[in-house]
Amino acid sequence: MWSPRCQGYGPGEGDPPAPCQHPENTPDELRERAIREVRTTGRPIAHVAKDLGIHKEALRGWVRQAEADHGERDDRLTTAERDELKQLRKENAELKRANEILKAASVFFAQEIDRPRTRPSR
């Protein structure tokens, strides 16, 4: 389905926009097939991408990520490292929120302790 992020249009003038397939919506099987074809055949990424109907820059990114995952690149994080980093950032955000709650609670209880107590009159 076409979305505002798509830039391509149909083959004829005035035709509706062509369907757009974003990299994050690509089936895993197609992604794996495309990566395997580039890595095993040595064909240029642009040719494989065109044959499979994938944007060449999306395929280039997938190939680079596969190379990182196989230890062939050290200029980017592996998928496992990315997942771990994402989880650690999530945990960090949760801990920061908990810390803010605890700070607010400690201020509240400190005020309660400092407040003079009055005895009820009989």
Side-chain angles (χ1 to χ4, degrees), residues 4 9-10 24 30 32 34-36 38 44 46 51-52 58-59 83 90 93 109 117:
Y9 288 90
E24 64 272 10
L30 178 59
E32 291 167 11
I35 293 167
R36 186 174 49 252
V38 168
D51 290 348
L52 297 176
L59 180 53
D83 292 343
K90 184 178 176 182
F109 288 119
R117 297 174 191 234

Side-chain angles (χ1 to χ4, degrees), residues 97-119:
R97 281 191 298 273
N99 199 23
E100 290 301 316
I101 291 169
L102 290 172
K103 282 180 185 177
S106 68
V107 168
F108 173 78
F109 288 119
Q111 289 172 346
E112 286 293 312
I113 291 171
D114 291 342
R115 184 177 297 160
R117 297 174 191 234
T118 58
R119 295 187 180 202

Side-chain angles (χ1 to χ4, degrees), residues 41-94:
T41 65
R43 290 181 60 211
I45 289 174
H47 294 179
V48 173
K50 185 175 181 182
D51 290 348
L52 297 176
I54 303 168
H55 192 279
K56 66 182 179 182
E57 292 306 318
L59 180 53
R60 187 177 320 283
W62 299 341
V63 170
R64 287 179 179 162
Q65 189 62 52
E67 291 169 349
D69 290 347
H70 289 97
E72 299 166 13
R73 296 181 76 102
D74 59 359
D75 61 336
R76 66 187 312 158
L77 298 174
T78 66
T79 301
E81 290 168 334
R82 284 176 179 266
D83 292 343
E84 181 183 14
L85 182 58
K86 183 178 178 180
Q87 179 60 32
L88 290 172
R89 285 180 172 161
K90 184 178 176 182
E91 272 182 46
N92 194 24
E94 289 173 15

